[in-house]
Amino acid sequence: MSDPTHTDQLTFQNPVTRFPRISPPEQDQPEPGLDQKLVPQTDRGQHSYRGTGRLRGRRALITGGDSGIGAAVAIAFAREGADVALSYLPAEEPDAQEIKAVIEETGQRAILLPGDISDRDFCERLVADAVDQLGGLDALVNNAGRQIAIEDITDLSDEQWTLTYETNIHAMYRITRAAIPHMPPGSTIVNTTSIQAYQPSTHLLDYASTKAAINNFSKGLGQALASKGIRVNTVAPGPIWTPLQVSDGQPKEALPEFGKDTPLGRAGQPTELAPAYVFLTSPESSYVIGETLNVNGGTPSP
Ligand code: NAD
Ligand code: MG
């Protein structure tokens, strides 16, 4: 699909055929991978997501906002009326610039904050810069993550195990801890977990276990922050076509079949995730706390 859809998310349509059933060719990119080099291209809603004013005046920090799900969320948030700060790795500058341009077309602000969130000092700086440049912070989307498939636990190094934990869960804790003092009542935190939290793949032991930790962390934190008026929820994607999958996130030979084993029979596109993040960030979900919203094409989940 080199031509993203122009049909907006509110148009009545068949979810089976809303997006094509893709068979991505085997391909490889160095971590973290670029959306711009992905074959086929992903649909981040750039030509289709229609805002309805649900995040008017909000100020959001989105990690991993350059590509994939985070980029789709950034585009949706801007079209819903939010200014957004995007966190990503310096190597992802081309993707980040592309999303910045899409956001600025909406008349909202896009602030680019490159850096490595596995560095604990950077996590503090990231939040400080976001608060400073957005003029405050009332929405946090902890979406960055790394996923490297390793066939056998005997090949899983200490370095990989530690870096996956630093990136996926330690950074989430540090960024959240730094953000909370700035967040007024009504603010929201949405964390990205995964279907891997409940159905771990044998080649993703480190990754899948961080995702289980994210669910647990979010349910605990949701209770802890409720009385402050800050709501915490998570989104658990199923197989979504993004650069994560081609930068060693999946065994290469698995790519052509990616997502075909879901009840819907196809991989998801990043823009199909965006409404879940919008809902959990919008005031309309005021009584929803500690929830995991599964967006996975129909696979049963707890
Ligand atoms: P993606 O590659 O587009 O996004 C991941 C982002 O994480 C990268 O763009 C990068 O900016 C960021 N990141 C990684 N390491 C970082 C670091 N050290 N410092 C700063 N940023 C860093 O892929 P995606 O699939 O959109 O992933 C977004 C989230 O969705 C991840 O948490 C991923 O685990 C989760 N997820 C994805 C799928 C899927 O099938 N694609 C399924 C379940 C969960
Ligand atoms: Mg990226």
Side-chain angles (χ1 to χ4, degrees):
M1 181 190 53
S2 48
D3 187 19
T5 185
H6 289 254
T7 307
D8 74 48
Q9 82 279 12
L10 302 177
T11 301
F12 182 73
Q13 56 197 312
N14 182 346
V16 176
T17 53
R18 181 180 175 200
F19 293 100
R21 190 168 188 262
I22 55 168
S23 299
E26 291 187 22
Q27 58 199 289
D28 191 28
Q29 288 190 42
E31 200 193 345
L34 286 179
D35 250 330
Q36 291 186 349
K37 293 189 175 163
L38 211 51
V39 181
Q41 284 284 290
T42 70
D43 198 319
R44 287 152 280 164
Q46 53 275 53
H47 301 299
S48 59
Y49 188 91
R50 180 148 67 94
T52 53
R54 292 155 81 176
L55 304 179
R56 204 169 284 133
R58 299 289 294 276
R59 292 170 289 197
L61 169 60
I62 303 170
T63 67
D66 58 302
S67 60
I69 295 165
V73 171
I75 291 169
F77 274 29
R79 293 199 182 151
E80 296 288 356
D83 286 339
V84 296
L86 308 182
S87 150
Y88 55 96
L89 285 162
E92 299 173 298
E93 192 64 30
D95 278 352
Q97 289 291 346
E98 185 180 331
I99 299 309
K100 181 177 197 273
V102 176
I103 289 169
E104 286 176 346
E105 278 169 26
T106 68
Q108 298 300 138
R109 295 172 63 218
I111 289 151
L112 299 186
L113 300 172
D116 186 344
I117 61 166
S118 69
D119 169 347
R120 74 172 69 191
D121 295 333
F122 178 73
C123 293
E124 303 270 334
R125 253 192 345 269
L126 171 65
V127 171
D129 288 349
V131 170
D132 188 43
Q133 296 190 46
L134 290 170
L137 185 69
D138 56 44
L140 172 62
V141 177
N142 283 308
N143 164 75
R146 86 187 280 273
Q147 172 185 326
I148 305 289
I150 301 283
E151 208 147 302
D152 193 285
I153 188 170
T154 56
D155 298 322
L156 180 55
S157 67
D158 263 357
E159 289 70 28
Q160 158 145 347
W161 180 274
T162 303
L163 189 53
T164 302
Y165 268 74
E166 288 286 349
T167 308
N168 293 10
I169 179 78
H170 296 176
M172 180 177 290
Y173 143 70
R174 290 177 183 133
I175 291 168
T176 301
R177 182 181 59 179
I180 286 167
H182 300 283
M183 301 181 95
S187 298
T188 52
I189 299 171
V190 183
N191 297 327
T192 302
T193 176
S194 170
I195 190 166
Q196 288 286 328
Y198 335 106
Q199 297 187 5
S201 296
T202 53
H203 56 272
L204 294 175
L205 296 174
D206 51 338
Y207 173 85
S209 56
T210 65
K211 294 299 179 178
I214 289 168
N215 267 340
N216 187 287
F217 173 66
S218 304
K219 287 182 193 302
L221 189 67
Q223 296 174 76
L225 297 183
S227 64
K228 289 185 198 287
I230 302 174
R231 294 183 300 110
V232 183
N233 289 287
T234 70
V235 175
I240 312 302
W241 183 234
T242 72
L244 195 76
Q245 308 301 346
V246 304
S247 46
D248 290 334
Q250 296 290 332
K252 246 189 297 300
E253 60 282 5
L255 291 177
E257 294 305 306
F258 183 68
K260 286 181 182 159
D261 59 351
T262 58
L264 220 45
R266 62 169 178 84
Q269 291 293 330
T271 191
E272 296 185 275
L273 277 292
Y277 291 82
V278 169
F279 169 67
L280 294 172
T281 300
S282 152
E284 72 201 304
S285 58
S286 53
Y287 211 59
V288 182
I289 296 172
E291 176 63 328
T292 300
L293 215 168
N294 293 280
V295 185
N296 67 21
T299 304
S301 45

